[in-house]
Amino acid sequence: WCLGRGRARRIGHGPREFELRRFACLAAIECTRLLVMATIVPEKLTRLFINVQQLWQVPRLLETAFPSPPCTVGTSDVPKVFWKPYIHAGYRPLNRTWKYYFLTLFQQHNEAVNVWTHLVAALILLLRFQKLSQTVDFVSDPHARPLFIIAIASITYLTFSTLAHLLQAKSEFWHYSFFFMDYVGVAIYQYSSALVHYYYAIEPDWHARIMGFYMPGAVLLAWLSCAGSCYAKYRYHQLPRHLSRLCQEMPLGLAYALDISPVIHRLYTAQPSEQADPALLYHKCQVLFFLIGAFFFSYPYPEKWFPGKCHFFGQGHQIFHVFLVLCTLAQVQAVALDYESRREIYTSLHGDQTHNFSALCFLTIACCLLTAAYMTSKVKCKLNCKGE
């Protein structure tokens, strides 16, 4: 601009004429820029339109990848072991590929809600413990070991349950096998629940009463729950209904009564000044959610009230899954708060016993796995005899 202005003086033009020339040049440049943009914008819009057209093709691609509807059959097309009370449709056909059953994760069938409730809960807990690991030293702090055990156990039982409900339709053998695996996960979770209640939530006077038998009893009842559930599943259509329920539900009920006793005692004896403790609220919620879930686990409602209307949604077992997830989430939050706020109490009560509790955990896992393997072998023999 300075050079141009000096040149204007040399050729006899004044500053005003130079400014007019400069404005004309700038206007020409701006017009050129607008013309260029006018060609670029339509090009970008064309690309965007093409991308939108590609997005519209995604559902077609999914239709080719996923099982073609209808992917469900009625009770007449599956063996009796797959039947659920008052559920007459929504079953998946047997003897398809593993890919088929994995892809039914995105299909509508009578196990879809059961799969998604526990799958989502497992992901939530995975994120919760990942965040918790940023503040809790699971490696160096021995008193954090029970918290680590409940973390692994809760994610394990939710994952096993997800796989069982997703893949059990492969065949009769895999139906039994996956649910035996599910029962192993539940038993491990039962032991871990008993452990964290005993370690973090217990009051000293209740600890003095039950310290001699609580943890061995928790191991025994966790194993009995697994064994009883496996046997009830194995003989489900051979035993009377009340005996099958007794084999499964009585060990579960006894285990829960023992496992939750430290929490119930603490809630019952809490002083008015302790009612503001947020951990107590979460403990109350976990008890309430479990009791509601236990009702729907034991009784086939509401499908019994509305036969033929709950093939895909509204089954009692689905409601049980939801409340069990809420119970687990409330329990994890409660024991995490107890871990932070009750260190003086549990360090004086348990000292360096975390190694013993970890050994009992491995004992529980070993006993349950051996039981599930034994029952699986019996199922295999039973199916071989049936085939012959």
Side-chain angles (χ1 to χ4, degrees), residues 140-193:
S140 301
D141 184 6
H143 296 293
R145 194 166 299 164
L147 191 58
F148 179 75
I149 291 175
I150 190 69
I152 299 300
S154 58
I155 294 173
T156 298
Y157 100 82
L158 290 169
T159 302
F160 284 3
S161 177
T162 299
L163 293 175
H165 287 283
L166 180 63
L167 303 177
Q168 52 87 21
K170 170 71 173 173
S171 66
E172 288 190 63
F173 173 77
W174 288 111
H175 175 83
Y176 285 108
S177 300
F178 276 113
F179 276 111
F180 291 164
M181 181 181 69
D182 184 20
Y183 302 146
V184 171
V186 171
I188 297 170
Y189 174 66
Q190 284 181 348
Y191 170 80
S192 66
S193 296

Side-chain angles (χ1 to χ4, degrees), residues 75 82-91 110 236 241 298-316:
T75 52
F82 293 90
W83 294 4
K84 301 179 180 181
Y86 309 102
I87 304 298
H88 309 302
Y91 298 93
N110 59 23
Y236 181 73
R241 175 64 176 164
S298 301
Y299 299 98
Y301 298 114
E303 58 264 36
K304 186 176 181 179
W305 295 332
F306 308 100
K309 303 295 184 181
C310 302
H311 294 331
F312 298 102
F313 303 101
Q315 301 170 26

Side-chain angles (χ1 to χ4, degrees), residues 85-319:
Y86 309 102
I87 304 298
H88 309 302
Y91 298 93
R92 289 165 291 172
L94 276 65
N95 301 318
R96 301 292 181 91
T97 63
W98 286 111
K99 178 183 177 182
Y100 174 88
Y101 295 104
F102 274 108
L103 291 177
T104 58
L105 178 66
F106 305 100
Q107 291 288 322
Q108 180 176 286
H109 50 85
N110 59 23
E111 292 283 12
V113 175
N114 293 326
V115 172
W116 277 102
T117 49
H118 279 186
L119 176 60
V120 172
L123 295 175
I124 291 174
L125 283 174
L126 188 63
L127 294 175
R128 176 70 180 91
F129 287 116
Q130 189 276 333
K131 183 178 179 181
L132 192 63
S133 65
Q134 298 175 0
T135 58
V136 177
D137 189 358
F138 289 116
V139 177
S140 301
D141 184 6
H143 296 293
R145 194 166 299 164
L147 191 58
F148 179 75
I149 291 175
I150 190 69
I152 299 300
S154 58
I155 294 173
T156 298
Y157 100 82
L158 290 169
T159 302
F160 284 3
S161 177
T162 299
L163 293 175
H165 287 283
L166 180 63
L167 303 177
Q168 52 87 21
K170 170 71 173 173
S171 66
E172 288 190 63
F173 173 77
W174 288 111
H175 175 83
Y176 285 108
S177 300
F178 276 113
F179 276 111
F180 291 164
M181 181 181 69
D182 184 20
Y183 302 146
V184 171
V186 171
I188 297 170
Y189 174 66
Q190 284 181 348
Y191 170 80
S192 66
S193 296
L195 174 59
V196 292
H197 294 160
Y198 180 75
Y199 204 93
Y200 299 122
I202 200 167
E203 292 291 336
D205 56 339
W206 190 248
H207 178 269
R209 298 181 188 181
I210 65 172
M211 61 181 299
F213 65 88
Y214 181 89
M215 291 308 301
V219 174
L220 176 62
L221 290 174
W223 173 75
L224 285 177
S225 297
C226 178
S229 297
C230 290
Y231 183 76
K233 186 68 178 176
Y234 175 70
R235 300 289 303 274
Y236 181 73
H237 292 287
Q238 300 171 356
L239 292 176
R241 175 64 176 164
H242 66 279
L243 286 179
S244 177
R245 288 179 56 182
L246 186 67
C247 290
Q248 184 175 26
E249 295 176 12
M250 187 175 71
L252 290 171
L254 292 175
Y256 183 73
L258 178 67
D259 299 348
I260 203 66
S261 62
V263 174
I264 298 298
H265 176 266
R266 181 178 167 192
L267 293 174
Y268 181 75
T269 60
Q271 300 299 320
S273 59
E274 299 174 338
Q275 295 297 331
D277 186 356
L280 290 181
L281 174 61
Y282 286 106
H283 280 306
K284 292 176 183 178
C285 289
Q286 70 143 323
V287 173
L288 177 63
F289 292 148
F290 180 86
L291 293 178
I292 297 174
F295 171 81
F296 287 103
F297 176 80
S298 301
Y299 299 98
Y301 298 114
E303 58 264 36
K304 186 176 181 179
W305 295 332
F306 308 100
K309 303 295 184 181
C310 302
H311 294 331
F312 298 102
F313 303 101
Q315 301 170 26
H317 197 80
Q318 296 171 352
I319 301 174

